[in-house]
Amino acid sequence: MSRRDKMIEKIKDLMYKPESIRNIGIVAHIDHGKTTLSDNLLAGAGMISEELAGDQRFLDFDEQEQARGITIDAANVSMVHHYDGKEYLINLIDTPGHVDFGGDVTRAMRAVDGAVVVVCAVEGIMPQTETVLRQALKEHVKPVLFINKVDRLINELKLEPDELQNRFLKIIAEANKLVKNVAPEEFRDAWKFDVADGSVAFGSAYHNWAINVPIMQKTKINFKDIIDYCNDDKQKELAHKVPITEVLLGMVVEHLPSPNESQAYRVPHIWDGDIESPAGQTMTTTDPNGPLAVMVTNVTVDKHAGEVATGRVYGGTISKGTEVFLVGGHAKARVQQVGVYFGPERVNTDNVPAGNIVYVAGARGAIAGETICDPEHKIVEFEGLEHISEPVVTVA
Ligand code: GDP
């Protein structure tokens, strides 16, 4: 079996283990490094070949799709990550960067359980950082923090260790003010960004390294060493010692919830139906055997497959060839293909169970925000998405 086929088998196996899945989004103010980070995570997780890594913009790539004759969905990628002797399936949903797409960001947030908030160390928290963090929290999506472009603080701004630290503390304090004000009441303390527990990482997406306190303790690399690596032009060496993929995906696995953990508290928040009903119970327990519930987050048109809806399976299992009901469209449709992501490619499967990000071909007429269910078990729609385009509270 080729390495690729083995990886695909792994993904098909992991999609039945919700405790080993992390559905995440990366959110940031424009230019803070979201694209660079996404590309380098994919390359580091071995999901793209060496020759495609590097300068290739992996999340914007029409030519690659044409050159390789495969179907690439720029909006979603998945990775298999080894952490502490276990394998995890990380589904990364692209969230549009510009504030005008606030609605799309919210929709993407609906598909995920956790978010990596990227903040440029030079600019700090900007209005859009605040908006996207606020959107995540309102959707009950747990955040972790990545302070990016630390190389610039050292090489361009020539900051000393205590100045570096002060800058980091200021960013973390500002982000925590939002958590305190906006996070669901029961998580206000638990979701606070905490340097000591490793829910904040520092690094350079461009130079491919990152560090957080648990990794500092393990590798004995401290901020003074990092300053030396940057000043001595040895960031490649640093990237070898503390690779960004290892550190950030480790943080994701450790601190962001699995679908079964998060659906228990998110479903009552985002779905208006009766939680005690079979559909409600199926969703809160991420049960693959109950009534089907899929929330569509994005629809694209593919030249081979036609309309392709991407969404999150909250309950039951969606299967190829079955009839489904589009709640908003009041129409039945036949599912022609279903599948999951392998890196940026789509891989067809017969079934996709609860807890996963799915693509569906054949759900004709589905629009973003649509709810898909069984024709025999009609359910109420997921709650309308609240669009937040302006920060409501200014953090000083
Ligand atoms: P996005 O708009 O958030 O997707 O940001 P990009 O990933 O496109 O990055 C914006 C610019 O910042 C690009 O020119 C990147 O090369 C640069 N950049 C991203 N991360 C880093 C970093 O860690 N260090 C430095 N020096 N530049 C970075």
Side-chain angles (χ1 to χ4, degrees), residues 30-36 57 148-149 151-152 204-206:
I30 193 135
D31 274 348
H32 280 200
K34 193 182 76 158
T35 315
T36 311
R57 286 283 139 158
N148 188 32
K149 305 199 191 184
D151 59 303
R152 291 190 54 201
S204 170
Y206 185 80

Side-chain angles (χ1 to χ4, degrees), residues 26-40 57 97 118 146-153 155-156 203-209 235 244:
I26 299 181
V27 294
H29 187 82
I30 193 135
D31 274 348
H32 280 200
K34 193 182 76 158
T35 315
T36 311
L37 176 62
S38 309
D39 289 357
N40 286 341
R57 286 283 139 158
V118 179
F146 175 55
I147 301 184
N148 188 32
K149 305 199 191 184
V150 173
D151 59 303
R152 291 190 54 201
L153 293 186
N155 291 340
E156 291 170 31
S204 170
Y206 185 80
H207 293 285
N208 251 317
W209 59 266
Q235 289 190 72
I244 197 160

